[in-house]
Amino acid sequence: MTDEPVPVSAPRTVSPYNAANVLTVMRIVLVPVFLGLVVSSQLEGTGARIAACLVFCVASATDFVDGWIARRWSMVTSFGKVADPIADKALTGTALVLLSVYDRLPWWVTLLILVREWGITALRFWVIRYGIIPASRGGKLKTVLQIAAIAWYLWPVPEPFDVVGVVLMGAATVVTVVTGADYVIEALRLRRNARNAPGSRG
């Protein structure tokens, strides 16, 4: 008597047209809207400046929501893996550059954070053939601090409470640098382990 073959279910195909990716695209679309509001306000007054801050906060919130949806309902796609970090960097990068353009934030802070952010994104693509570098708790804390600091700078906060933004940005900058170094170490470790694995061609 021969054993009958056990049916194997086909691998689940995730459509790129899902809620998580829609939110990611929405975040990208909101970047020029945010840019236009900041430029029109020149970070003076209240109306357009408050609107810019609210758009930034809504766009930033989609970053947390789309990630949760993708993990909760297994909607992770190749498009999302590429578009999500690009959307994040486009939003925060635009905000940081605008803050420096309007003399609210020193350029060295903006450049330091941008080099770290885009450098780590490039690093992740560099080692993707060896494995995925997951977001660490420090990386998530960095994101929260950056968003909080930028939002504080954008909102027309009166003195002396505006100093809170400086403190938040200082903390965000420190955590950004520290976590960046951690990611570099993790990437090098991942690459070394993969190259030393049995059967690896290097």
Side-chain angles (χ1 to χ4, degrees), residues 157-171:
V157 180
E159 297 180 355
F161 303 106
D162 56 340
V163 73
V164 175
V166 178
V167 174
L168 287 171
M169 187 59 76

Side-chain angles (χ1 to χ4, degrees), residues 36-154:
L37 287 170
V38 172
V39 172
S40 65
S41 71
Q42 296 187 3
L43 292 183
E44 300 290 345
T46 56
R49 186 173 176 181
I50 289 176
C53 182
L54 293 177
V55 169
F56 174 79
C57 290
V58 169
S60 298
T62 65
D63 180 25
F64 297 98
V65 177
D66 66 8
W68 179 79
I69 291 175
R71 292 187 298 270
R72 177 66 178 80
W73 281 284
S74 301
M75 292 182 177
V76 178
T77 63
S78 297
F79 172 82
K81 291 179 181 178
V82 175
D84 186 67
I86 291 177
D88 298 343
K89 306 305 179 287
L91 179 63
T92 56
T94 299
L96 291 168
V97 169
L98 288 172
L99 289 175
S100 292
V101 167
Y102 291 107
D103 296 323
R104 296 299 194 277
L105 187 67
W107 273 106
W108 70 266
V109 174
T110 293
L111 293 175
L112 180 63
I113 293 177
L114 290 183
V115 168
R116 184 275 189 199
E117 296 293 345
W118 287 104
I120 295 303
T121 298
L123 187 67
R124 278 182 160 143
F125 283 114
W126 180 57
V127 299
I128 197 169
R129 58 178 291 196
Y130 304 111
I132 301 295
I133 304 177
S136 64
R137 290 183 179 180
K140 294 176 182 178
L141 174 61
K142 175 268 303 179
T143 300
V144 171
L145 287 172
Q146 285 184 3
I147 292 172
I150 291 172
W152 203 278
Y153 273 93
L154 291 172

Side-chain angles (χ1 to χ4, degrees), residues 4-60:
E4 294 184 0
V6 178
V8 178
S9 58
R12 178 172 178 265
T13 302
V14 181
S15 170
Y17 304 102
N18 58 61
N21 288 344
V22 168
L23 287 174
T24 298
V25 173
M26 174 183 166
R27 187 157 69 258
I28 295 174
V29 171
L30 285 177
V31 171
V33 176
F34 167 70
L35 172 63
L37 287 170
V38 172
V39 172
S40 65
S41 71
Q42 296 187 3
L43 292 183
E44 300 290 345
T46 56
R49 186 173 176 181
I50 289 176
C53 182
L54 293 177
V55 169
F56 174 79
C57 290
V58 169
S60 298

